[in-house]
Amino acid sequence: MSATPIAPSAAEPTAPAAPAAPATPADSRAHVTPPSRRMVAVIVLIPVIAALALWAFAWPNARIAPRDLPLGVAGPAAAATQVEQRLEQRDGAFEVHRYADEAAARDAIEDRTVYGAVVVTEAGPKLLTASAASPMVAQLLQQAVGEQAAREGARVEVTDVVATPAEDPRGSAFGSSVLPLALAGTAAGAVVTLLGLRGARAAGALAGAAALVGLAAAALAHTWLGALTGDWWAEAGVLGLTTLAVGATVAGLAALLGRAGLGLGALLIVFLGNPFSGAASAPRMLPEPAGTLGQWLPPGAGATLLRSVSFFDGAAALSPALILTWWAVLGLGAVLVGPLLKRPKKPAASQAAAPTTGRTPAPTPAH
């Protein structure tokens, strides 16, 4: 009589599978930078950052001067031609536009085509300015035209066509509004990245934060300080759109490049966009290419759009609005697509393999 094989009882524990051997940390230690090298990197990197900041902020201010500054000339043809020739002798300082009369010159100022205009009259030259477009430019035009008239023994009558608000006559509060928006947008992009928000949640957080920043900034700059005088909701929209463009740019770069994107975004916005914005002076007062580059970055486009909406009834607002929208759309697109590009692909073999557990199935008992 043959012995029947005895099946293991269910209470009998099966031997657990041997755990995989832990990976040796030799490879990871090989790529760790020694503390001495990290110390040297900090010692070298901080002065480089300081030098970059000084260059970005001090160089444009040290080279402020009119460069092809749009200026109108109106009046009788013969007298206007003489004024135009005198202005053109200033080595490319002014870009002269001719107008038939004072009314046409005023319209050009209100449309933000020119920063001011010299109107030749029988009583003497008359200067039209727009301190709301730039208090610095208005002062410069008064000096330039006044000195020329003084040489000829004439007196200049000055009219501020679009003036700055009485609460902010020098435009200081307006010029100071760019950096807080740049910092708020940069902080929003950094916080969203560091908190690990991805995809639609990250985009929603950026949009929500930008909307609240716009409302808060409008309440402070318009309602409290009186530095803005346009439509309140339009100004809040511009301030929010500027913040969104900055935040989306920083978060989008981080989504594509990792944490290195945060540094690149801060460099682009804070170290270039803010000092090159021309908010405290005018884009045409900055050395090139700073003046042009600044208008293609969110802080400069935001400052220009805010001037148009707040002081000029939206004149010349299309171009900066499109630039801000472009940055916001591209940044949010990168936020949405970035995680998908970084997602690792699963090998086909691992997808086909059945999942295994640590328990060995009991054999079927023989009958």
Side-chain angles (χ1 to χ4, degrees):
M1 186 171 179
S2 61
T4 305
I6 301 175
S9 63
E12 244 181 85
T14 58
T24 59
D27 293 338
S28 60
R29 286 199 304 265
H31 297 285
V32 174
T33 306
S36 58
R37 291 188 181 180
R38 281 179 278 172
M39 183 184 70
V40 172
V42 171
I43 293 174
V44 174
L45 183 61
I46 297 303
V48 170
I49 295 176
L52 177 62
L54 287 173
W55 167 80
F57 284 85
W59 169 62
N61 292 325
R63 298 290 185 269
I64 284 182
R67 294 171 175 83
D68 292 328
L69 189 74
L71 179 64
V73 174
T81 300
Q82 294 180 359
V83 173
E84 182 177 353
Q85 291 174 351
R86 296 192 194 100
L87 292 174
E88 290 177 346
Q89 293 175 358
R90 291 180 172 263
D91 298 329
F94 300 106
E95 178 185 280
V96 179
H97 297 246
R98 290 288 293 270
Y99 299 101
D101 51 25
E102 181 178 344
R106 284 176 174 267
D107 291 340
I109 293 173
E110 293 172 351
D111 292 339
R112 302 207 68 187
T113 303
V114 294
Y115 282 87
V118 180
V119 181
V120 182
T121 65
E122 295 180 356
K126 184 176 182 179
L127 176 63
L128 306 179
T129 63
S131 59
S134 172
M136 182 179 293
V137 170
Q139 184 178 6
L140 180 144
L141 293 178
Q142 293 181 35
Q143 293 176 352
V145 177
E147 290 175 359
Q148 183 63 39
R151 297 191 191 101
E152 300 173 357
R155 183 178 178 182
V156 179
E157 178 185 352
V158 180
T159 302
D160 200 346
V161 178
V162 185
T164 54
E167 291 80 358
D168 188 28
R170 297 180 180 84
S172 303
F174 183 93
S176 302
S177 65
V178 175
L179 182 58
L181 294 179
L183 294 177
T186 303
V191 170
V192 164
T193 302
L194 296 177
L195 289 181
L197 298 179
R198 299 290 183 269
R201 291 183 179 179
L206 290 170
L212 292 179
V213 168
L215 296 175
L220 291 171
H222 184 118
T223 307
W224 181 42
L225 297 176
L228 305 177
T229 58
D231 181 78
W232 195 95
W233 289 103
E235 293 166 353
V238 172
L239 294 166
L241 179 59
T242 303
T243 306
L244 178 60
V246 173
T249 299
V250 174
L253 289 172
L256 296 176
L257 305 176
R259 295 201 175 185
L262 295 178
L264 180 59
L267 174 67
L268 190 66
I269 299 299
V270 178
F271 285 89
L272 294 181
N274 181 63
F276 292 178
S277 66
S281 54
R284 295 292 185 97
M285 296 287 287
L286 301 179
E288 290 297 341
T292 301
L293 178 61
Q295 294 305 295
W296 282 98
L297 295 175
T304 300
L305 180 59
L306 187 60
R307 281 193 191 277
S308 295
V309 169
S310 182
F311 306 128
F312 293 89
D313 295 328
L318 179 60
S319 177
L322 290 177
I323 291 173
L324 288 176
T325 304
W326 180 74
W327 280 103
V329 170
L330 287 183
L332 292 177
V335 168
L336 295 174
V337 176
L340 300 178
L341 299 177
K342 292 182 178 181
R343 183 177 298 174
K345 296 181 179 179
K346 296 182 179 179
S350 64
Q351 293 178 356
T356 59
T357 62
R359 180 178 297 176
T360 305
T364 305
H367 296 287

